[in-house]
Amino acid sequence: MTSLYFDPGTGALIVQFFAAAAAGVLLFYKSIKMKVKSLFGIKQKESDDFMDEDPDKDQTK
């Protein structure tokens, strides 16, 4: 039977890998989310911006 042994250096390396992966996901969450949505063909809703309103449109009503 082979016993498993993790020396402290290997354990620290594994913990560091998971911490870096979690930090990367947190940092790039929005862009990852948009790429996943684009893979499935889900489009982003257009946000209504009050600065884009056409002033002539209100006068015709």
Side-chain angles (χ1 to χ4, degrees):
M1 178 175 166
T2 305
S3 63
L4 296 176
Y5 172 73
F6 280 16
D7 62 315
T10 303
L13 182 68
I14 292 170
V15 169
Q16 185 179 9
F17 169 76
F18 285 114
V25 168
L26 287 175
L27 186 63
F28 297 108
Y29 172 72
K30 192 171 185 177
S31 64
I32 291 171
K33 187 173 100 179
M34 294 306 299
K35 286 183 182 181
V36 169
K37 281 185 174 183
S38 69
L39 284 175
F40 292 109
I42 300 171
K43 292 184 178 180
Q44 182 181 11
K45 290 190 333 185
E46 293 183 20
S47 62
D48 292 332
D49 190 7
F50 70 94
M51 298 297 283
D52 290 340
E53 291 182 10
D54 188 17
D56 295 333
K57 185 178 178 182
D58 293 337
Q59 294 176 355
T60 57
K61 289 183 181 178

